[in-house]
Each structure stands twice: as structure tokens, then as C-alpha cells.
Amino acid sequence: MRILHSTILGKGKPLLILHGYFGMSDNWKSLGMQFAKNYEVHLIDQRNHGRSFHSDDFDYELLVEDLYNYIQYHNLQNVILLGHSMGGKVAMLFAVTFPELIAKLIVADISPRAYKPHHQQILEALNEVNFSIHNSRKKVEEVLRIYIKEEGIIQFLLKNVYWKEKGKLDYRFNLQSLTVNNAEVGEALPSFTHFEGDTLFLKGENSNYITTKDVPLISAHFPNAKIVTVKNAGHWLHAENPTQFYSEVVRFLAKKENWHNYS
């Protein structure tokens, strides 16, 4: 059994953080250090990402199984689960599958609905890089800039470029598997699944990943969910407005019996 790689910070109630597509646990280090003041924070690399194992197989059921194995391996109970984007989909599916293991659920800028594949341009750019020729970070960046115009996305992807060996760059993620299985990332949460526990959805003000049309679906799956908007932020709301993101999460986690009065 292969166990996901993680960085564990702090002590207290376990708070597990799941990154998004093409991401890794390192993206959450700054916020993780803040949360670690009060919680045992697990910054997790999901399969085919970061320093975790690579596999040809990649879908949400497998990602949930990986997380279950991780929780059992570390003997964790009553965990707080926070997931962003793809990580949010994993968190939602895990919560409806293993509700007895979850104390509270936090979903960052993703809905339970299906999303059409929309990473083709990024995948095309990444696949155009030939590390035999593009043997410096600058050369890799030049290739990405041909296809991608958003500076934030370019820098986000470049964080995954590392020296695999002397003189040889590579991606930390498993590009081949992510390319083949790209359609899996947009899969919807299965119908008629529910998690009755306290749930917080955080939506980026400038993001269209969660819209007003998603509210009934969120309520159907998560009857005790609240949706809060993070101001001046898009899909990467935790990076674009970490101050409000942190305060909303801490506020949510502090709520107990009067959670339904959260506003």
C-alpha cells in the first residue's frame, strides 16, 4: 500500500489540506503555518502530484481511497478536511463516503456539479516542453508563455519544475497520467449522496466556479453548508486573499452548537 507524501505541522486536532489540479502541498505552506498555531496540519500531496507516487490510474474514487489509507496509516480521527478545486471534489466525495471520519468540511471554490474539461491549453503547453532541449527553467518558461498568457498560471506551473537529476529538469506531477485522465477532474459528485456535518464553501468573488445556480445542488448534498464569498479573489482565493481566507476558516472552525446562526 502506497501512502501519500505530506508535511505535518503543529499539534492539535488534525486539519488535512488537499491542493488542486497541478498543485502540491507546498502551495499551502504559508497558510499551513498559520493554521498550525492551533491544529495539527497535514499538507498532503495527492497521487500524481508533488512528492507522492505516480500512477497511470487517476480518478476521484482512487483519490478518496488514497486519503482513507493516509488517515488510517496516521491513525487519525475526527478530522477537519479542507480541499481546493480538485482537492475540494476529493474532500466532498470523501465526506459523503466516510462521514464518520469527518468533523468539519471546507470546500474552496468548487461545486459538486460536473465541469467540462477546460485545461487543454495548459496540458498542451506542458506537453510541448521537451526537457532534453529545454534544459533550463528559463527555456521551460519561454515555451509555456507561447500558450499561456496569465502570469499567475505560468508561475504556478513553474513551481512544479525541479531538478530530477544533475542537468535534467522534470515536472513533479505525472503529466502523462494527468493528460490521459483529464476528463476525470471535472466529474460530478454522485447523485443522492449527502454529508450532514457542518460544511463551509468558500467562493472567490471573481471566480465562476461557484455560481448562484449551484446553491440548490450544494444544499442538496450538504444540508448544513454555508457559502461565503472571499473578496477580491478568483479561483486561487487562498493565494489571492489569504487574510480573509484564513479568518473565514478560523471563524467556521470556532463555531459549535450555534453553527446554524453563522452569518
Side-chain angles (χ1 to χ4, degrees):
M1 183 171 65
R2 295 175 293 182
I3 300 300
L4 298 172
H5 176 272
S6 69
T7 299
I8 302 173
L9 308 166
K11 292 182 179 179
K13 192 178 183 70
L15 167 59
L16 279 55
I17 300 181
L18 303 175
H19 61 76
Y21 200 40
F22 302 116
M24 55 181 162
S25 59
D26 286 1
N27 301 144
W28 285 84
K29 205 156 193 181
S30 294
L31 273 170
M33 294 286 281
Q34 286 186 270
F35 289 127
K37 295 171 187 174
N38 299 298
Y39 299 93
E40 181 182 273
V41 178
H42 294 246
L43 303 177
I44 296 172
D45 285 327
Q46 300 187 82
R47 79 162 57 195
N48 291 330
H49 291 78
R51 292 172 176 80
S52 280
F53 58 85
H54 287 190
S55 171
D56 292 339
D57 301 315
F58 187 78
D59 59 38
Y60 283 120
E61 286 74 19
L62 288 170
L63 295 175
V64 164
E65 183 181 333
D66 292 341
L67 182 58
Y68 178 82
N69 290 339
Y70 178 90
I71 288 172
Q72 296 302 307
Y73 177 82
H74 289 280
N75 195 28
L76 303 178
Q77 297 176 340
N78 213 28
V79 306
I80 301 159
L81 191 55
L82 188 167
H84 170 245
S85 197
M86 178 193 83
K89 282 285 185 81
V90 177
M92 285 188 274
L93 183 57
F94 189 91
V96 302
T97 308
F98 300 106
E100 69 280 2
L101 296 177
I102 303 296
K104 289 193 175 188
L105 175 66
I106 304 157
V107 180
D109 212 57
I110 200 76
S111 160
R113 67 176 159 93
Y115 292 79
K116 292 179 181 177
H118 57 281
H119 299 99
Q120 290 90 334
Q121 189 178 31
I122 290 175
L123 288 166
E124 185 179 0
L126 293 169
N127 278 290
E128 281 299 312
V129 173
N130 180 344
F131 286 113
S132 298
I133 303 167
H134 307 118
N135 54 3
S136 72
R137 296 179 68 85
K138 189 176 190 311
K139 289 179 181 178
V140 173
E141 183 176 345
E142 287 170 355
V143 175
L144 297 183
R145 287 192 182 280
I146 296 171
Y147 297 86
I148 303 168
K149 303 309 174 190
E150 297 90 343
E151 185 64 28
I153 294 177
I154 292 170
Q155 297 306 319
F156 171 73
L157 294 171
L158 285 172
K159 288 180 181 177
N160 283 280
V161 177
Y162 78 112
W163 292 105
K164 186 175 183 180
E165 55 191 65
K166 189 173 182 180
K168 174 75 171 176
L169 289 167
D170 204 348
Y171 298 125
R172 288 221 178 264
F173 45 65
N174 183 352
L175 181 59
Q176 182 178 356
S177 183
L178 297 185
T179 301
V180 171
N181 298 298
N182 181 45
E184 296 290 342
V185 180
E187 286 294 303
L189 192 65
S191 300
F192 309 111
T193 54
H194 307 88
F195 174 67
E196 303 288 337
D198 291 345
T199 306
L200 174 65
F201 279 77
L202 291 169
K203 169 198 174 341
E205 182 179 32
N206 304 323
S207 171
N208 60 3
Y209 274 74
I210 296 177
T211 69
T212 52
K213 292 180 180 178
D214 292 314
V215 175
L217 181 63
I218 289 171
S219 297
H221 284 288
F222 304 96
N224 289 311
K226 299 288 182 180
I227 304 171
V228 176
T229 298
V230 175
K231 303 291 186 183
N232 303 313
H235 186 53
W236 282 276
L237 64 176
H238 57 292
E240 294 171 35
N241 189 347
T243 302
Q244 188 188 349
F245 187 96
Y246 176 78
S247 64
E248 295 292 355
V249 171
V250 169
R251 186 171 172 230
F252 166 61
L253 295 179
K255 291 284 177 179
K256 293 180 182 175
E257 293 77 12
N258 60 342
W259 161 238
H260 295 283
N261 296 323
Y262 183 102
S263 60

